[in-house]
């Protein structure tokens, strides 16, 4: 510091901090932005080419379908469809979070819906599985029955299987026309109402006089037995799931 003749303190040239003009400050800011942009673009380009070309094509396809598909869709639905396409064999499958939660509940002995699964046999549709104590089981449906048609009082469909499954998924109640004869000569209508939760049963008992099934944990007489069994009894165990051990 130095004092001028009037006693004012002034900074010497060696001590005075550097001062930049407004033009220089703007120049430095512009240079910083330019360098940042270069780093960003270089990183984006590098990342783009690091990703496999087929992965880039898949991403482009998903965006194209999402933007231009004639119907309403979503990225989640597209990913679910892509995952389903990765089912390499009958032992491999993909579940959405909701489907996985339902699967866990079923393994713990709880079910929801109608309690049936369908399969195709040539041009016919049959019941592959009827879960014990489900709405389908309580209505009297049995595995192996032919499903001639499904309806809701206003519309009806007689197949194919995928169409029937879609029809049932969209309705809270349905009427199924079923029987054991391929020609439909013994067709009977069964009315089902979707259940939000039921205690699934996997075991039933039959002797020459009666048939017993589990209804909410209790064994109940649900119909006639099989006279040809004589003094023997028949126990069916459908699957080792849920409450099967206790049953």
């Amino acid at each position: 510091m130095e004092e001028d003749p009037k006693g004012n303190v002034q900074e010497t040239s060696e001590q005075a901090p550097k001062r930049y003009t407004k033009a220089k400050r703007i120049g430095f800011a512009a240079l910083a932005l330019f360098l940042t942009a270069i780093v960003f673009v270089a990183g984006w380009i590098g990342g783009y080419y690091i990703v496999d070309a087929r992965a880039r094509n898949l991403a482009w396809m998903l965006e194209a379908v999402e933007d231009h598909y004639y119907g309403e869709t979503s990225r989640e639905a597209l990913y679910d469809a892509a995952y389903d396409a990765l089912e390499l064999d009958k032992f491999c499958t993909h579940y959405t979070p909701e489907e996985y939660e339902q699967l866990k509940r079923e393994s713990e002995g709880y079910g929801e819906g109608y309690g049936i699964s369908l399969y195709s046999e040539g041009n016919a549709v049959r019941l592959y599985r009827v879960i014990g104590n489900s709405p389908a089981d309580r209505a009297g449906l049995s595995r192996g029955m032919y499903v001639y048609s499904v309806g809701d009082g206003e519309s009806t469909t007689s197949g194919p299987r995928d169409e029937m499954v879609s029809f049932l998924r969209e309705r809270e109640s349905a009427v199924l026309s079923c029987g054991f004869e391929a020609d439909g000569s013994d067709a009977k209508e069964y009315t089902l109402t979707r259940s939000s939760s039921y205690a699934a049963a996997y075991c039933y008992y039959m002797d020459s006089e009666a048939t017993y099934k589990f209804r909410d944990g209790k064994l109940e007489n649900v119909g006639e037995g099989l006279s040809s069994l004589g003094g023997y009894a028949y126990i069916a165990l459908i699957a080792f799931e849920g409450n099967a051990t206790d049953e």
Side-chain angles (χ1 to χ4, degrees), residues 203-208 210-212 226 229 231-238:
C203 182
Y204 71 89
Y205 168 91
M206 178 188 290
D207 58 27
S208 60
T211 297
Y212 296 83
L226 189 62
L229 286 174
Y232 295 91
Y234 176 86
I235 297 177
L237 178 61
I238 308 304

Side-chain angles (χ1 to χ4, degrees), residues 151-156 167 174-175:
D152 60 2
E154 298 181 357
S155 57
T156 303
F167 187 95
V175 178

Side-chain angles (χ1 to χ4, degrees), residues 133 138 204-205 210-223:
N133 199 39
R138 286 178 172 271
Y204 71 89
Y205 168 91
T211 297
Y212 296 83
K213 292 185 177 182
F214 282 93
R215 295 288 186 253
D216 297 324
K218 297 180 180 180
L219 199 60
E220 296 181 5
N221 186 331
V222 296

Side-chain angles (χ1 to χ4, degrees), residues 102-110 202 240-243:
Q102 181 179 348
L103 180 68
K104 290 198 298 183
R105 281 180 53 79
E106 290 176 354
S107 69
E108 295 168 354
Y110 298 95
Y202 302 97
F240 279 111
E241 294 179 1
N243 301 314

Side-chain angles (χ1 to χ4, degrees), residues 43-112:
W44 184 87
I45 293 176
Y48 179 84
Y49 284 103
I50 289 174
V51 176
D52 185 270
R54 289 166 295 185
R56 297 199 302 270
N57 290 339
L58 178 60
W60 174 87
M61 181 186 70
L62 292 174
E63 291 181 2
V65 173
E66 191 175 38
D67 294 339
H68 304 294
Y69 184 62
Y70 77 96
E72 292 186 5
T73 186
S74 66
R75 181 58 62 93
E76 290 75 15
L78 293 174
Y79 278 127
D80 286 342
Y83 295 146
D84 289 337
L86 296 177
E87 297 179 9
L88 304 180
D89 54 54
K90 65 180 181 179
F91 304 108
C92 175
T93 190
H94 159 252
Y95 296 101
T96 64
E98 294 77 14
E99 291 170 339
Y100 181 60
E101 287 302 318
Q102 181 179 348
L103 180 68
K104 290 198 298 183
R105 281 180 53 79
E106 290 176 354
S107 69
E108 295 168 354
Y110 298 95
E112 61 182 56

